[in-house]
Amino acid sequence: MTTASADIEVAAVMLFDAGGRMLLVRKKGTRRFMQPGGKAEPGESFRHAACRELHEEIGLQLSPEDLIDCGVYSAEAANEPGSQVVAHVFAAFCITTVKAAAEIEELVWIDPGQPANLRLAPLTADSIYPLARGIDVSSLPGIPHRDKAEASTN
């Protein structure tokens, strides 16, 4: 008897700093790096789940309006053999210091324009890492220089 693979729906956030670097995290007991994020709770939107997970995993407080919707992508799940992960991907800007919390063991900031010398989750390697190369960080909500320029013209 064969078992059909299960889809695991998650919210994943491409989080960028002012230098255009993207945050990757590695969960405790795992070997692959991926975006922060996780499963939605019953009745919770993926946008709200992304914000909650960012707060739990790295101590970052964002509102749903701070997230840019980047689409839905799927790949083999990194930590659950036989399953597919379906990720609702968002992009956001981070101006504060973040730290590993909850189930996160390690975090790294990487340049998505350079090869990643890390073990990446399949979704990150095949979909999100290439997607991140096309993100214009200056267009994300919360970019300090953009907000100051807008304020001076109002």
Side-chain angles (χ1 to χ4, degrees):
M1 177 181 204
T2 59
T3 310
S5 68
D7 283 348
I8 303 164
E9 279 196 284
V10 300
V13 181
M14 295 184 296
L15 191 62
F16 295 94
D17 69 7
R21 297 180 307 164
M22 181 175 67
L23 181 72
L24 295 178
V25 300
R26 185 177 58 77
K27 295 182 179 189
K28 292 176 182 171
T30 68
R31 298 171 47 199
R32 295 179 185 242
F33 284 86
M34 62 188 64
Q35 280 58 51
K39 298 173 187 166
E41 294 178 352
E44 183 179 42
S45 72
F46 287 103
R47 187 174 287 273
H48 283 89
C51 292
R52 178 183 48 76
E53 289 285 345
L54 286 174
H55 186 254
E56 291 173 3
E57 293 182 348
I58 60 173
L60 180 63
Q61 188 73 48
L62 291 180
S63 69
E65 297 77 31
D66 295 327
L67 303 176
I68 302 295
D69 190 340
C70 295
V72 179
Y73 299 85
S74 63
E76 175 187 339
N79 301 317
E80 299 183 41
S83 296
Q84 285 281 114
V85 65
V86 177
H88 299 257
V89 179
F90 302 95
F93 178 71
C94 178
I95 194 168
T96 63
T97 302
V98 295
K99 63 183 183 328
E103 72 267 15
I104 303 303
E105 186 165 323
E106 184 178 4
L107 52 83
V108 295
W109 290 95
I110 61 158
D111 178 348
Q114 300 296 320
N117 295 320
L118 301 167
R119 285 193 72 168
L120 301 178
L123 181 75
T124 300
D126 299 339
S127 298
I128 296 179
Y129 199 74
L131 177 66
R133 291 184 186 117
I135 298 290
D136 177 6
V137 175
S138 67
S139 70
L140 296 174
I143 297 290
H145 65 273
R146 191 189 85 198
D147 292 346
K148 288 177 186 171
E150 288 175 357
S152 68
T153 61
N154 291 334

